[in-house]
Amino acid sequence: MANSGSRAGIAYADGYRIRQALRAGIHEVINDQEILNKINVFPVPDGDTGTNLALTLGTVIARLAETDSRSASEVLTAAADAALDGARGNSGAITAQFLQGLADFRPGLERMSPTTFAEAAKYAADFAREAMDEPREGTILSVIRDFAEELQARIGADPESDFKSLLEHGLARAESSLADTPKHLDVLRKAGVVDAGGQGFVDMLRGTVEFIRSGDRVALDNWAPPQYPESFESSAGEEIDLTHRFCTECMVTGVDVDRRKLREAVSALGSSMVIAGTRSKVKLHIHVNDPDKLFETAARFGKISGEKADDMRRQQRSSHALSHQVAVITDSAADLPDEELERLNIHIVPVRLHFGERGYLDKISMTPDEFYEELRRNPEH
């Protein structure tokens, strides 16, 4: 689409164009997920950043397939809502919050100009940073911020920039920012890697830019999940002693969820907290030792759902172990001693239990003794 001025280029992004560009960027992340897992060393070297981003953005792909809206705002809102629903891990929650910022910047837009997008990206970068309890330099947040600042600088230097030129400059700045992440975090420098979440964001930008350059939809329509190698290398970095063992998440919904008070209430329970979302729907991510206490606290602010608690100690041991060529996955109905679980590299998925309107994660937020006691006294199960 030509600009009305003297130069040709992509002058606007409507819902259709945003949908195709997002799909291209997301597929790039999903195709790179195993590399992202291997370079995942911060905040915990548990080898799951690629998987978390793939799960987060995979929900966006599914939601985009259900909408044919031409409205930029409607497509961005659908993408942000899906990302929040599927958000996993620090990077997933931050990416969801960035998309939410893009959607919230100026509701009702049918089209976005390059200038409007640059302004929205700056708003979204700030929105994503506010979701973190303790923002750190050298992470995905740094890459997002530098990308957004480059867009604004480009528009300031050349107000007639089209989307292709604007995003190419933004990608170059993001790549430079990513290369600098080891300068800010010693754990990255020692492992000889860049930040995995930041790499995922750059992947998404790169996929978007390549699509804009080529306009080739064939690869998108014929896309299939990557084929995994027959053997895996261990993850980068070294195992660390964890202050908080469980990577815990839940959704909090209500009429008007007070995110500030929610943050204050749960911040003392753990670390690496991210609170993403809107007034009516909040995704809470935090590393804790007592998931049940977290869920009880969060329930004071709204209805909780989607409770999850991943054992990061076991995850990082597995991601660094080359002795195991096979991993067995079962649910928590398999009552095996902890020492046997670790010796045999058996991974447990907690069964979700419900008594009335209260939900639990078996053996994480409810012990077997508590389960049988609740079963005896509570008929609603």
Side-chain angles (χ1 to χ4, degrees):
M1 183 75 178
N3 277 316
S4 57
S6 59
R7 289 180 294 176
I10 301 174
Y12 71 87
D14 62 2
Y16 174 80
R17 290 177 173 177
I18 291 172
R19 185 165 58 250
Q20 297 305 319
L22 276 174
R23 287 180 64 203
I26 290 169
H27 287 149
E28 187 75 14
V29 177
I30 293 174
N31 285 332
D32 208 25
Q33 64 178 299
E34 279 307 308
I35 293 175
L36 299 180
N37 283 339
K38 289 174 184 174
I39 67 172
N40 170 207
V41 300
F42 182 84
V44 177
D46 50 359
D48 66 354
T49 292
T51 300
N52 286 338
L53 282 173
L55 290 170
T56 301
L57 295 173
T59 60
V60 177
I61 289 285
R63 190 74 58 86
L64 292 178
E66 299 172 356
T67 177
D68 57 0
S69 174
R70 286 278 182 172
S71 163
S73 287
E74 288 181 5
V75 170
L76 285 172
T77 298
D81 188 64
L84 188 63
D85 286 342
R88 292 286 298 265
N90 288 60
S91 296
I94 291 169
T95 300
Q97 189 75 341
F98 177 76
L99 291 174
Q100 189 69 57
L102 291 179
D104 289 352
F105 174 67
R106 196 171 293 172
L109 280 178
E110 292 297 312
R111 295 179 173 184
M112 297 184 81
S113 68
T115 298
T116 302
F117 180 74
E119 293 171 349
K122 178 61 169 62
Y123 177 85
D126 292 340
F127 200 54
R129 183 168 287 266
E130 290 170 4
M132 286 290 295
D133 187 42
E134 297 179 350
R136 294 287 300 273
E137 285 300 312
T139 66
I140 183 176
L141 289 172
S142 303
V143 178
I144 290 175
R145 179 202 61 209
D146 292 345
F147 163 74
E149 288 180 353
E150 179 63 26
L151 298 190
Q152 289 209 308
R154 181 64 181 169
I155 289 294
D158 182 6
E160 295 185 11
S161 291
D162 75 315
F163 268 104
K164 177 175 176 291
S165 173
L166 183 69
L167 289 174
E168 285 177 337
H169 281 83
L171 172 61
R173 176 68 181 278
E175 290 174 332
S176 175
S177 179
L178 177 67
D180 285 343
T181 55
K183 297 178 182 178
H184 300 284
L185 288 173
D186 283 344
V187 66
L188 300 179
R189 179 180 55 79
K190 291 177 181 177
V193 298
V194 295
D195 180 66
Q199 179 68 68
F201 185 75
V202 168
D203 286 343
M204 187 161 64
L205 292 178
R206 185 178 296 119
T208 299
V209 169
E210 288 302 319
F211 171 71
I212 291 174
R213 286 170 176 166
S214 66
D216 182 11
R217 290 189 56 204
V218 175
L220 300 184
D221 293 336
N222 294 334
W223 176 85
Q227 296 296 311
Y228 296 113
E230 293 182 1
S231 61
F232 293 89
E233 300 175 8
S234 61
S235 296
E238 300 176 351
E239 291 185 42
I240 61 173
D241 291 331
L242 297 175
T243 303
H244 301 104
R245 179 172 178 176
F246 294 99
C247 177
T248 311
E249 295 174 348
C250 67
M251 188 77 80
V252 184
T253 55
V255 176
D256 190 2
V257 180
D258 192 326
R259 287 187 291 175
R260 181 183 64 81
K261 289 185 178 179
L262 174 61
R263 182 191 300 274
E264 292 173 355
V266 303
S267 61
L269 302 180
S271 58
S272 296
M273 181 172 65
V274 184
I275 296 182
T278 65
R279 288 185 175 184
S280 61
K281 184 164 66 173
V282 173
K283 191 60 167 285
L284 171 61
H285 167 280
I286 187 170
H287 296 171
V288 298
N289 287 322
D290 189 347
D292 191 39
K293 187 173 182 180
L294 171 71
F295 299 145
E296 286 181 354
T297 303
R300 303 205 307 261
F301 296 86
K303 182 179 179 180
I304 65 169
S305 60
E307 302 98 313
K308 176 188 78 72
D310 291 338
D311 187 336
M312 295 186 295
R313 185 177 70 184
R314 189 160 289 149
Q315 281 182 329
Q316 72 164 341
R317 286 180 180 176
S318 179
S319 68
H320 288 81
L322 288 175
S323 58
H324 294 289
Q325 306 234 349
V326 175
V328 176
I329 302 175
T330 184
D331 63 42
S332 54
D335 292 307
L336 298 171
D338 283 348
E339 58 270 19
E340 288 302 291
L341 293 175
E342 296 194 8
R343 184 180 71 84
L344 297 172
N345 198 30
I346 296 175
H347 299 259
I348 300 292
V349 178
V351 171
R352 194 181 301 278
L353 309 171
H354 293 276
F355 287 93
E357 295 186 356
R358 179 71 194 276
Y360 302 88
L361 294 178
D362 185 28
K363 296 187 177 70
I364 292 179
S365 59
M366 174 175 269
T367 67
D369 287 342
E370 290 170 338
F371 168 75
Y372 286 113
E373 174 59 24
E374 192 73 5
L375 194 65
R376 183 188 65 78
R377 72 170 191 82
N378 191 339
E380 295 185 51
H381 51 76

